[in-house]
mmCIF file of all heavy atoms in Angstrom:
data_model
loop_
_atom_site.group_PDB
_atom_site.id
_atom_site.type_symbol
_atom_site.label_atom_id
_atom_site.label_comp_id
_atom_site.label_asym_id
_atom_site.label_seq_id
_atom_site.Cartn_x
_atom_site.Cartn_y
_atom_site.Cartn_z
ATOM 1 N N GLY O 362 -32.879 84.398 -15.428
ATOM 2 C CA GLY O 362 -31.813 83.876 -14.560
ATOM 3 C C GLY O 362 -30.501 83.805 -15.157
ATOM 4 O O GLY O 362 -29.559 83.457 -14.509
ATOM 5 N N VAL O 363 -30.440 84.182 -16.446
ATOM 6 C CA VAL O 363 -29.048 84.074 -17.112
ATOM 7 C C VAL O 363 -28.545 85.465 -17.230
ATOM 8 O O VAL O 363 -28.119 86.039 -16.300
ATOM 9 C CB VAL O 363 -29.259 83.393 -18.529
ATOM 10 C CG1 VAL O 363 -27.934 83.083 -19.179
ATOM 11 C CG2 VAL O 363 -30.062 82.091 -18.352
ATOM 12 N N LYS O 364 -28.575 86.062 -18.492
ATOM 13 C CA LYS O 364 -28.076 87.391 -18.616
ATOM 14 C C LYS O 364 -28.876 88.160 -19.625
ATOM 15 O O LYS O 364 -28.267 88.970 -20.367
ATOM 16 C CB LYS O 364 -26.588 87.305 -19.085
ATOM 17 C CG LYS O 364 -25.571 86.833 -18.045
ATOM 18 C CD LYS O 364 -24.131 86.889 -18.596
ATOM 19 C CE LYS O 364 -23.173 86.361 -17.501
ATOM 20 N NZ LYS O 364 -21.757 86.368 -18.047
ATOM 21 N N ASN O 365 -30.110 87.917 -19.683
ATOM 22 C CA ASN O 365 -31.010 88.543 -20.641
ATOM 23 C C ASN O 365 -31.958 89.571 -19.964
ATOM 24 O O ASN O 365 -32.505 89.264 -18.889
ATOM 25 C CB ASN O 365 -31.809 87.497 -21.397
ATOM 26 C CG ASN O 365 -30.988 86.557 -22.200
ATOM 27 O OD1 ASN O 365 -30.098 86.932 -22.931
ATOM 28 N ND2 ASN O 365 -31.129 85.243 -21.999
ATOM 29 N N THR O 366 -32.080 90.663 -20.558
ATOM 30 C CA THR O 366 -32.975 91.691 -20.069
ATOM 31 C C THR O 366 -34.063 91.984 -21.153
ATOM 32 O O THR O 366 -33.744 91.906 -22.345
ATOM 33 C CB THR O 366 -32.151 92.977 -19.851
ATOM 34 O OG1 THR O 366 -31.076 92.691 -18.958
ATOM 35 C CG2 THR O 366 -33.063 94.050 -19.138
ATOM 36 N N TYR O 367 -35.278 92.280 -20.619
ATOM 37 C CA TYR O 367 -36.398 92.501 -21.546
ATOM 38 C C TYR O 367 -37.100 93.875 -21.226
ATOM 39 O O TYR O 367 -37.000 94.294 -20.130
ATOM 40 C CB TYR O 367 -37.351 91.365 -21.431
ATOM 41 C CG TYR O 367 -36.757 89.982 -21.544
ATOM 42 C CD1 TYR O 367 -36.427 89.268 -20.501
ATOM 43 C CD2 TYR O 367 -36.537 89.478 -22.866
ATOM 44 C CE1 TYR O 367 -35.791 87.961 -20.609
ATOM 45 C CE2 TYR O 367 -35.921 88.232 -23.018
ATOM 46 C CZ TYR O 367 -35.568 87.580 -21.867
ATOM 47 O OH TYR O 367 -34.961 86.286 -22.136
ATOM 48 N N LEU O 368 -37.663 94.397 -22.242
ATOM 49 C CA LEU O 368 -38.444 95.581 -22.072
ATOM 50 C C LEU O 368 -39.807 95.327 -22.808
ATOM 51 O O LEU O 368 -39.852 95.328 -24.020
ATOM 52 C CB LEU O 368 -37.790 96.834 -22.606
ATOM 53 C CG LEU O 368 -38.568 98.122 -22.361
ATOM 54 C CD1 LEU O 368 -38.599 98.453 -20.881
ATOM 55 C CD2 LEU O 368 -37.979 99.317 -23.176
ATOM 56 N N GLN O 369 -40.859 95.058 -22.041
ATOM 57 C CA GLN O 369 -42.168 94.889 -22.603
ATOM 58 C C GLN O 369 -42.770 96.326 -22.742
ATOM 59 O O GLN O 369 -42.997 97.017 -21.658
ATOM 60 C CB GLN O 369 -43.058 94.011 -21.669
ATOM 61 C CG GLN O 369 -44.451 93.839 -22.158
ATOM 62 C CD GLN O 369 -44.596 93.046 -23.424
ATOM 63 O OE1 GLN O 369 -43.867 92.091 -23.671
ATOM 64 N NE2 GLN O 369 -45.398 93.498 -24.331
ATOM 65 N N MET O 370 -43.173 96.639 -23.939
ATOM 66 C CA MET O 370 -43.758 98.018 -24.192
ATOM 67 C C MET O 370 -45.181 97.796 -24.663
ATOM 68 O O MET O 370 -45.438 97.245 -25.733
ATOM 69 C CB MET O 370 -42.917 98.725 -25.271
ATOM 70 C CG MET O 370 -41.409 98.801 -24.919
ATOM 71 S SD MET O 370 -40.493 99.829 -26.005
ATOM 72 C CE MET O 370 -40.621 98.951 -27.532
ATOM 73 N N ASN O 371 -46.105 98.299 -23.871
ATOM 74 C CA ASN O 371 -47.569 98.261 -24.134
ATOM 75 C C ASN O 371 -48.108 99.665 -24.392
ATOM 76 O O ASN O 371 -47.498 100.637 -24.088
ATOM 77 C CB ASN O 371 -48.300 97.585 -23.029
ATOM 78 C CG ASN O 371 -47.873 96.139 -22.793
ATOM 79 O OD1 ASN O 371 -47.424 95.477 -23.703
ATOM 80 N ND2 ASN O 371 -47.912 95.683 -21.546
ATOM 81 N N SER O 372 -49.284 99.681 -25.077
ATOM 82 C CA SER O 372 -49.938 100.946 -25.340
ATOM 83 C C SER O 372 -48.998 101.906 -25.991
ATOM 84 O O SER O 372 -48.901 103.080 -25.587
ATOM 85 C CB SER O 372 -50.546 101.543 -24.008
ATOM 86 O OG SER O 372 -51.406 100.618 -23.455
ATOM 87 N N LEU O 373 -48.334 101.489 -27.035
ATOM 88 C CA LEU O 373 -47.300 102.327 -27.641
ATOM 89 C C LEU O 373 -47.927 103.548 -28.378
ATOM 90 O O LEU O 373 -48.975 103.391 -28.965
ATOM 91 C CB LEU O 373 -46.428 101.520 -28.561
ATOM 92 C CG LEU O 373 -45.354 100.560 -27.992
ATOM 93 C CD1 LEU O 373 -44.893 99.571 -28.909
ATOM 94 C CD2 LEU O 373 -44.266 101.507 -27.479
ATOM 95 N N LYS O 374 -47.220 104.611 -28.280
ATOM 96 C CA LYS O 374 -47.660 105.848 -28.951
ATOM 97 C C LYS O 374 -46.664 106.185 -30.052
ATOM 98 O O LYS O 374 -45.469 105.802 -30.000
ATOM 99 C CB LYS O 374 -47.706 106.965 -27.930
ATOM 100 C CG LYS O 374 -48.580 106.653 -26.753
ATOM 101 C CD LYS O 374 -48.403 107.749 -25.670
ATOM 102 C CE LYS O 374 -49.254 107.421 -24.447
ATOM 103 N NZ LYS O 374 -49.059 108.496 -23.391
ATOM 104 N N PRO O 375 -47.053 106.949 -31.064
ATOM 105 C CA PRO O 375 -46.185 107.342 -32.142
ATOM 106 C C PRO O 375 -44.918 108.050 -31.612
ATOM 107 O O PRO O 375 -43.789 107.919 -32.214
ATOM 108 C CB PRO O 375 -46.992 108.268 -32.981
ATOM 109 C CG PRO O 375 -48.351 107.672 -32.837
ATOM 110 C CD PRO O 375 -48.420 107.286 -31.417
ATOM 111 N N ALA O 376 -45.028 108.775 -30.545
ATOM 112 C CA ALA O 376 -43.915 109.486 -29.923
ATOM 113 C C ALA O 376 -42.776 108.556 -29.387
ATOM 114 O O ALA O 376 -41.710 108.978 -29.127
ATOM 115 C CB ALA O 376 -44.428 110.349 -28.767
ATOM 116 N N ALA O 377 -43.128 107.290 -29.262
ATOM 117 C CA ALA O 377 -42.095 106.277 -28.833
ATOM 118 C C ALA O 377 -41.191 105.879 -29.924
ATOM 119 O O ALA O 377 -40.310 105.085 -29.690
ATOM 120 C CB ALA O 377 -42.832 105.049 -28.300
ATOM 121 N N THR O 378 -41.472 106.287 -31.140
ATOM 122 C CA THR O 378 -40.583 105.927 -32.307
ATOM 123 C C THR O 378 -39.149 106.484 -32.038
ATOM 124 O O THR O 378 -38.962 107.633 -31.921
ATOM 125 C CB THR O 378 -41.179 106.539 -33.531
ATOM 126 O OG1 THR O 378 -42.401 105.937 -33.850
ATOM 127 C CG2 THR O 378 -40.157 106.319 -34.728
ATOM 128 N N ASP O 379 -38.214 105.572 -32.073
ATOM 129 C CA ASP O 379 -36.772 105.867 -31.802
ATOM 130 C C ASP O 379 -35.963 104.640 -31.937
ATOM 131 O O ASP O 379 -36.464 103.591 -32.116
ATOM 132 C CB ASP O 379 -36.607 106.403 -30.293
ATOM 133 C CG ASP O 379 -36.438 107.928 -30.282
ATOM 134 O OD1 ASP O 379 -36.019 108.486 -31.258
ATOM 135 O OD2 ASP O 379 -36.760 108.485 -29.223
ATOM 136 N N VAL O 380 -34.661 104.854 -31.806
ATOM 137 C CA VAL O 380 -33.748 103.636 -31.613
ATOM 138 C C VAL O 380 -33.557 103.413 -30.168
ATOM 139 O O VAL O 380 -33.349 104.301 -29.378
ATOM 140 C CB VAL O 380 -32.425 103.902 -32.318
ATOM 141 C CG1 VAL O 380 -31.544 102.705 -32.108
ATOM 142 C CG2 VAL O 380 -32.621 104.116 -33.816
ATOM 143 N N TYR O 381 -33.770 102.155 -29.764
ATOM 144 C CA TYR O 381 -33.659 101.812 -28.363
ATOM 145 C C TYR O 381 -32.376 101.046 -28.059
ATOM 146 O O TYR O 381 -32.040 100.153 -28.855
ATOM 147 C CB TYR O 381 -34.879 100.995 -27.933
ATOM 148 C CG TYR O 381 -36.119 101.791 -27.764
ATOM 149 C CD1 TYR O 381 -36.818 102.295 -28.859
ATOM 150 C CD2 TYR O 381 -36.633 102.048 -26.538
ATOM 151 C CE1 TYR O 381 -37.892 103.146 -28.705
ATOM 152 C CE2 TYR O 381 -37.773 102.830 -26.347
ATOM 153 C CZ TYR O 381 -38.398 103.380 -27.469
ATOM 154 O OH TYR O 381 -39.548 104.125 -27.343
ATOM 155 N N TYR O 382 -31.677 101.444 -27.011
ATOM 156 C CA TYR O 382 -30.377 100.878 -26.719
ATOM 157 C C TYR O 382 -30.367 100.181 -25.329
ATOM 158 O O TYR O 382 -31.022 100.742 -24.420
ATOM 159 C CB TYR O 382 -29.278 101.906 -26.729
ATOM 160 C CG TYR O 382 -29.000 102.534 -28.038
ATOM 161 C CD1 TYR O 382 -29.662 103.667 -28.507
ATOM 162 C CD2 TYR O 382 -28.032 101.933 -28.881
ATOM 163 C CE1 TYR O 382 -29.442 104.210 -29.750
ATOM 164 C CE2 TYR O 382 -27.743 102.500 -30.105
ATOM 165 C CZ TYR O 382 -28.455 103.663 -30.574
ATOM 166 O OH TYR O 382 -28.219 104.183 -31.766
ATOM 167 N N CYS O 383 -29.780 99.147 -25.245
ATOM 168 C CA CYS O 383 -29.543 98.406 -23.904
ATOM 169 C C CYS O 383 -28.145 98.852 -23.446
ATOM 170 O O CYS O 383 -27.170 98.838 -24.204
ATOM 171 C CB CYS O 383 -29.628 96.895 -24.209
ATOM 172 S SG CYS O 383 -29.237 95.952 -22.759
ATOM 173 N N GLY O 384 -28.056 99.184 -22.158
ATOM 174 C CA GLY O 384 -26.792 99.529 -21.543
ATOM 175 C C GLY O 384 -26.531 98.834 -20.301
ATOM 176 O O GLY O 384 -27.460 98.403 -19.612
ATOM 177 N N ALA O 385 -25.285 98.752 -19.920
ATOM 178 C CA ALA O 385 -24.915 98.116 -18.631
ATOM 179 C C ALA O 385 -24.018 99.117 -17.819
ATOM 180 O O ALA O 385 -23.084 99.723 -18.426
ATOM 181 C CB ALA O 385 -24.076 96.845 -18.928
ATOM 182 N N GLN O 386 -24.384 99.284 -16.600
ATOM 183 C CA GLN O 386 -23.619 100.132 -15.642
ATOM 184 C C GLN O 386 -23.170 99.356 -14.476
ATOM 185 O O GLN O 386 -23.943 98.644 -13.877
ATOM 186 C CB GLN O 386 -24.546 101.287 -15.229
ATOM 187 C CG GLN O 386 -23.946 102.280 -14.238
ATOM 188 C CD GLN O 386 -24.992 103.222 -13.645
ATOM 189 O OE1 GLN O 386 -24.718 103.823 -12.639
ATOM 190 N NE2 GLN O 386 -26.120 103.346 -14.347
ATOM 191 N N SER O 387 -21.895 99.509 -14.155
ATOM 192 C CA SER O 387 -21.319 98.881 -13.014
ATOM 193 C C SER O 387 -21.651 99.694 -11.777
ATOM 194 O O SER O 387 -21.305 100.911 -11.752
ATOM 195 C CB SER O 387 -19.889 98.654 -13.160
ATOM 196 O OG SER O 387 -19.232 98.073 -11.978
ATOM 197 N N LEU O 388 -22.265 99.128 -10.739
ATOM 198 C CA LEU O 388 -22.623 99.778 -9.543
ATOM 199 C C LEU O 388 -21.595 99.584 -8.394
ATOM 200 O O LEU O 388 -21.224 98.460 -8.222
ATOM 201 C CB LEU O 388 -24.006 99.385 -9.059
ATOM 202 C CG LEU O 388 -25.184 99.742 -9.909
ATOM 203 C CD1 LEU O 388 -26.454 99.209 -9.282
ATOM 204 C CD2 LEU O 388 -25.245 101.309 -10.140
ATOM 205 N N SER O 389 -21.274 100.667 -7.774
ATOM 206 C CA SER O 389 -20.398 100.590 -6.606
ATOM 207 C C SER O 389 -20.902 101.491 -5.534
ATOM 208 O O SER O 389 -20.762 102.702 -5.706
ATOM 209 C CB SER O 389 -18.956 100.843 -7.003
ATOM 210 O OG SER O 389 -18.071 100.747 -5.871
ATOM 211 N N PRO O 390 -21.449 100.976 -4.389
ATOM 212 C CA PRO O 390 -21.609 99.532 -4.085
ATOM 213 C C PRO O 390 -22.725 98.894 -4.914
ATOM 214 O O PRO O 390 -23.495 99.640 -5.588
ATOM 215 C CB PRO O 390 -21.994 99.572 -2.590
ATOM 216 C CG PRO O 390 -22.661 100.890 -2.481
ATOM 217 C CD PRO O 390 -21.898 101.825 -3.330
ATOM 218 N N PRO O 391 -22.865 97.593 -4.917
ATOM 219 C CA PRO O 391 -23.862 96.917 -5.811
ATOM 220 C C PRO O 391 -25.306 97.291 -5.567
ATOM 221 O O PRO O 391 -26.130 97.050 -6.395
ATOM 222 C CB PRO O 391 -23.566 95.405 -5.553
ATOM 223 C CG PRO O 391 -22.236 95.387 -4.967
ATOM 224 C CD PRO O 391 -21.970 96.635 -4.265
ATOM 225 N N TRP O 392 -25.590 97.844 -4.360
ATOM 226 C CA TRP O 392 -26.967 98.199 -4.059
ATOM 227 C C TRP O 392 -27.212 99.687 -4.274
ATOM 228 O O TRP O 392 -28.295 100.201 -3.854
ATOM 229 C CB TRP O 392 -27.216 97.782 -2.570
ATOM 230 C CG TRP O 392 -26.261 98.375 -1.610
ATOM 231 C CD1 TRP O 392 -26.315 99.626 -1.070
ATOM 232 C CD2 TRP O 392 -25.061 97.791 -1.145
ATOM 233 N NE1 TRP O 392 -25.192 99.825 -0.234
ATOM 234 C CE2 TRP O 392 -24.416 98.621 -0.316
ATOM 235 C CE3 TRP O 392 -24.458 96.547 -1.347
ATOM 236 C CZ2 TRP O 392 -23.199 98.368 0.382
ATOM 237 C CZ3 TRP O 392 -23.242 96.236 -0.732
ATOM 238 C CH2 TRP O 392 -22.692 97.136 0.168
ATOM 239 N N ALA O 393 -26.314 100.377 -4.864
ATOM 240 C CA ALA O 393 -26.468 101.799 -5.168
ATOM 241 C C ALA O 393 -27.726 102.079 -6.138
ATOM 242 O O ALA O 393 -28.022 101.097 -6.883
ATOM 243 C CB ALA O 393 -25.188 102.360 -5.743
ATOM 244 N N THR O 394 -28.202 103.202 -6.048
ATOM 245 C CA THR O 394 -29.234 103.589 -7.026
ATOM 246 C C THR O 394 -28.582 103.936 -8.347
ATOM 247 O O THR O 394 -27.693 104.681 -8.426
ATOM 248 C CB THR O 394 -29.997 104.870 -6.495
ATOM 249 O OG1 THR O 394 -30.608 104.548 -5.242
ATOM 250 C CG2 THR O 394 -31.086 105.339 -7.501
ATOM 251 N N PRO O 395 -29.048 103.266 -9.361
ATOM 252 C CA PRO O 395 -28.466 103.455 -10.707
ATOM 253 C C PRO O 395 -28.711 104.891 -11.266
ATOM 254 O O PRO O 395 -29.642 105.540 -10.968
ATOM 255 C CB PRO O 395 -29.104 102.450 -11.582
ATOM 256 C CG PRO O 395 -30.391 102.133 -10.937
ATOM 257 C CD PRO O 395 -30.199 102.290 -9.475
ATOM 258 N N SER O 396 -27.804 105.289 -12.124
ATOM 259 C CA SER O 396 -27.906 106.565 -12.775
ATOM 260 C C SER O 396 -28.916 106.467 -13.941
ATOM 261 O O SER O 396 -29.055 105.395 -14.521
ATOM 262 C CB SER O 396 -26.543 107.003 -13.312
ATOM 263 O OG SER O 396 -26.714 108.170 -14.081
ATOM 264 N N VAL O 397 -29.605 107.573 -14.251
ATOM 265 C CA VAL O 397 -30.468 107.623 -15.434
ATOM 266 C C VAL O 397 -29.775 108.351 -16.550
ATOM 267 O O VAL O 397 -30.385 108.798 -17.535
ATOM 268 C CB VAL O 397 -31.836 108.260 -15.050
ATOM 269 C CG1 VAL O 397 -32.535 107.439 -13.985
ATOM 270 C CG2 VAL O 397 -31.606 109.712 -14.564
ATOM 271 N N THR O 398 -28.489 108.707 -16.351
ATOM 272 C CA THR O 398 -27.734 109.406 -17.314
ATOM 273 C C THR O 398 -26.899 108.432 -18.223
ATOM 274 O O THR O 398 -26.182 107.550 -17.670
ATOM 275 C CB THR O 398 -26.823 110.444 -16.614
ATOM 276 O OG1 THR O 398 -27.552 111.263 -15.791
ATOM 277 C CG2 THR O 398 -26.014 111.241 -17.636
ATOM 278 N N SER O 399 -27.049 108.591 -19.453
ATOM 279 C CA SER O 399 -26.347 107.573 -20.331
ATOM 280 C C SER O 399 -24.879 107.574 -20.200
ATOM 281 O O SER O 399 -24.193 106.568 -20.365
ATOM 282 C CB SER O 399 -26.802 107.894 -21.831
ATOM 283 O OG SER O 399 -26.268 109.131 -22.214
ATOM 284 N N HIS O 400 -24.322 108.760 -19.860
ATOM 285 C CA HIS O 400 -22.801 108.793 -19.772
ATOM 286 C C HIS O 400 -22.285 107.944 -18.636
ATOM 287 O O HIS O 400 -21.073 107.601 -18.607
ATOM 288 C CB HIS O 400 -22.404 110.278 -19.554
ATOM 289 C CG HIS O 400 -22.833 111.203 -20.664
ATOM 290 N ND1 HIS O 400 -22.426 111.054 -21.870
ATOM 291 C CD2 HIS O 400 -23.621 112.295 -20.634
ATOM 292 C CE1 HIS O 400 -23.002 111.979 -22.659
ATOM 293 N NE2 HIS O 400 -23.743 112.778 -21.880
ATOM 294 N N GLU O 401 -23.132 107.573 -17.716
ATOM 295 C CA GLU O 401 -22.665 106.746 -16.583
ATOM 296 C C GLU O 401 -22.610 105.290 -16.953
ATOM 297 O O GLU O 401 -22.181 104.468 -16.172
ATOM 298 C CB GLU O 401 -23.628 106.903 -15.408
ATOM 299 C CG GLU O 401 -23.662 108.386 -14.867
ATOM 300 C CD GLU O 401 -22.409 108.804 -14.243
ATOM 301 O OE1 GLU O 401 -21.587 107.959 -13.754
ATOM 302 O OE2 GLU O 401 -22.112 110.048 -14.280
ATOM 303 N N TYR O 402 -23.133 104.921 -18.116
ATOM 304 C CA TYR O 402 -23.210 103.518 -18.459
ATOM 305 C C TYR O 402 -21.861 103.103 -19.173
ATOM 306 O O TYR O 402 -21.340 103.901 -19.925
ATOM 307 C CB TYR O 402 -24.416 103.220 -19.322
ATOM 308 C CG TYR O 402 -25.673 103.072 -18.497
ATOM 309 C CD1 TYR O 402 -26.224 104.119 -17.885
ATOM 310 C CD2 TYR O 402 -26.279 101.891 -18.368
ATOM 311 C CE1 TYR O 402 -27.368 103.986 -17.094
ATOM 312 C CE2 TYR O 402 -27.420 101.718 -17.612
ATOM 313 C CZ TYR O 402 -27.982 102.789 -17.012
ATOM 314 O OH TYR O 402 -29.047 102.642 -16.148
ATOM 315 N N ASP O 403 -21.465 101.878 -18.952
ATOM 316 C CA ASP O 403 -20.128 101.486 -19.372
ATOM 317 C C ASP O 403 -20.162 100.720 -20.695
ATOM 318 O O ASP O 403 -19.264 100.733 -21.453
ATOM 319 C CB ASP O 403 -19.497 100.497 -18.353
ATOM 320 C CG ASP O 403 -19.419 101.171 -16.948
ATOM 321 O OD1 ASP O 403 -18.772 102.143 -16.809
ATOM 322 O OD2 ASP O 403 -20.119 100.627 -16.029
ATOM 323 N N TYR O 404 -21.263 100.071 -21.026
ATOM 324 C CA TYR O 404 -21.380 99.227 -22.200
ATOM 325 C C TYR O 404 -22.699 99.467 -22.888
ATOM 326 O O TYR O 404 -23.676 99.747 -22.248
ATOM 327 C CB TYR O 404 -21.180 97.715 -21.940
ATOM 328 C CG TYR O 404 -19.944 97.379 -21.173
ATOM 329 C CD1 TYR O 404 -19.880 97.282 -19.839
ATOM 330 C CD2 TYR O 404 -18.732 97.237 -21.929
ATOM 331 C CE1 TYR O 404 -18.665 96.944 -19.112
ATOM 332 C CE2 TYR O 404 -17.585 96.932 -21.258
ATOM 333 C CZ TYR O 404 -17.571 96.749 -19.937
ATOM 334 O OH TYR O 404 -16.375 96.471 -19.240
ATOM 335 N N TRP O 405 -22.714 99.334 -24.231
ATOM 336 C CA TRP O 405 -23.885 99.556 -25.015
ATOM 337 C C TRP O 405 -23.999 98.489 -26.117
ATOM 338 O O TRP O 405 -22.992 98.038 -26.649
ATOM 339 C CB TRP O 405 -23.932 100.908 -25.650
ATOM 340 C CG TRP O 405 -24.018 102.048 -24.717
ATOM 341 C CD1 TRP O 405 -23.008 102.814 -24.243
ATOM 342 C CD2 TRP O 405 -25.206 102.537 -24.087
ATOM 343 N NE1 TRP O 405 -23.479 103.735 -23.355
ATOM 344 C CE2 TRP O 405 -24.848 103.600 -23.205
ATOM 345 C CE3 TRP O 405 -26.533 102.191 -24.145
ATOM 346 C CZ2 TRP O 405 -25.793 104.309 -22.449
ATOM 347 C CZ3 TRP O 405 -27.469 102.868 -23.354
ATOM 348 C CH2 TRP O 405 -27.083 103.904 -22.579
ATOM 349 N N GLY O 406 -25.264 98.256 -26.497
ATOM 350 C CA GLY O 406 -25.547 97.436 -27.641
ATOM 351 C C GLY O 406 -25.560 98.315 -28.869
ATOM 352 O O GLY O 406 -25.356 99.569 -28.849
ATOM 353 N N GLN O 407 -25.888 97.688 -30.011
ATOM 354 C CA GLN O 407 -25.968 98.442 -31.247
ATOM 355 C C GLN O 407 -27.255 99.113 -31.542
ATOM 356 O O GLN O 407 -27.338 99.975 -32.400
ATOM 357 C CB GLN O 407 -25.650 97.468 -32.442
ATOM 358 C CG GLN O 407 -26.839 96.648 -32.939
ATOM 359 C CD GLN O 407 -27.352 95.590 -31.983
ATOM 360 O OE1 GLN O 407 -26.679 95.246 -30.965
ATOM 361 N NE2 GLN O 407 -28.507 94.987 -32.184
ATOM 362 N N GLY O 408 -28.254 98.851 -30.693
ATOM 363 C CA GLY O 408 -29.595 99.437 -30.842
ATOM 364 C C GLY O 408 -30.516 98.709 -31.688
ATOM 365 O O GLY O 408 -30.192 97.879 -32.575
ATOM 366 N N THR O 409 -31.830 98.841 -31.452
ATOM 367 C CA THR O 409 -32.898 98.303 -32.246
ATOM 368 C C THR O 409 -33.969 99.381 -32.481
ATOM 369 O O THR O 409 -34.367 100.060 -31.579
ATOM 370 C CB THR O 409 -33.486 97.008 -31.537
ATOM 371 O OG1 THR O 409 -34.431 96.423 -32.423
ATOM 372 C CG2 THR O 409 -34.159 97.392 -30.230
#
């Protein structure tokens, strides 16, 4: 309810090894279908 997002990853496989990034994309209108393309995202974290 605040501003935190989570990704629960189960049954992990070795192929999942990578750096994972959180991104934020501004939608216009707010109910639009989000893009799955990284270039469309406006902000990024440093990765984990």
Side-chain angles (χ1 to χ4, degrees):
V363 187
K364 290 183 180 178
N365 299 308
T366 307
Y367 307 97
L368 184 68
Q369 178 67 42
M370 305 188 295
N371 298 329
S372 302
L373 281 164
K374 305 173 183 178
T378 296
D379 257 335
V380 177
Y381 284 72
Y382 294 88
C383 173
Q386 177 190 161
S387 178
L388 291 180
S389 181
W392 54 86
T394 299
S396 171
V397 298
T398 304
S399 62
H400 301 300
E401 300 292 333
Y402 281 68
D403 305 297
Y404 303 98
W405 292 99
Q407 82 290 348
T409 185

